Amino acid sequence: MPETEIRPTVVALLCDSNFKYRRDTKTWSHIDGRPFTKEEQATALDATRAEFEEFAAQHTRYMEYRRTTEEAPEAFQQFLAPFMERLTTKNLGNAVELMAKDERAEFDRLFALMIERPRRFTAYTF
């Protein structure tokens, strides 16, 4: 069976869809509420199984990213707890001084997840 080529523009359109049918335009809409043009609607309906699967895979990765960002504050607290227990003067700077290089990398990753604004779902980002 030949490999199906995935058209990035079609996947991008699917990633920007809310898939709710609008009776007023007889089309789906973009995430921001704008109705699809007739051409966009035709393109979306012409999407191949592989393109829908690529969209689904990207959406799954995005949902995992969102779950990770939502859980970051609790994960950060759990990560810091063993370091704080070892300290007499409990502050973040002292805890960081106890960390090995790989622990510092995890600290930085969790901290960044907490302070960054969550990114929107867009094609080929996740």
Side-chain angles (χ1 to χ4, degrees), residues 84 87 91-98:
M84 292 300 204
L87 295 172
N91 67 48
L92 200 53
N94 290 346
V96 169
E97 288 178 12
L98 297 175

Side-chain angles (χ1 to χ4, degrees), residues 51-117:
E51 289 162 341
F52 271 105
E53 288 172 351
E54 176 61 24
F55 156 72
Q58 289 187 36
H59 189 264
T60 298
R61 289 191 299 271
Y62 176 72
M63 295 309 290
E64 177 63 20
Y65 158 77
R66 288 303 305 256
R67 185 188 61 74
T68 301
T69 59
E70 289 168 6
E71 293 174 355
E74 179 62 29
F76 189 70
Q77 290 296 327
Q78 290 177 0
F79 173 80
L80 276 178
F83 297 101
M84 292 300 204
E85 287 174 5
R86 294 169 43 194
L87 295 172
T88 307
T89 305
K90 299 182 185 317
N91 67 48
L92 200 53
N94 290 346
V96 169
E97 288 178 12
L98 297 175
M99 295 178 191
K101 186 177 180 179
D102 60 330
E103 293 166 329
R104 179 59 196 260
E106 179 64 2
F107 171 87
D108 291 342
R109 183 187 75 82
L110 290 169
F111 188 70
L113 285 171
M114 289 189 341
I115 63 172
E116 286 178 6
R117 294 182 84 185

Side-chain angles (χ1 to χ4, degrees), residues 7 10 13-14 17 19 21 26-28 36-49 51-52:
R7 299 167 291 175
V10 174
L13 181 62
L14 295 174
S17 304
F19 301 107
Y21 184 75
K26 297 181 176 49
T27 63
W28 292 338
F36 276 9
T37 64
K38 297 294 181 191
E39 294 79 18
E40 289 171 327
Q41 184 70 29
T43 299
L45 292 174
D46 189 44
T48 64
R49 179 183 185 105
E51 289 162 341
F52 271 105

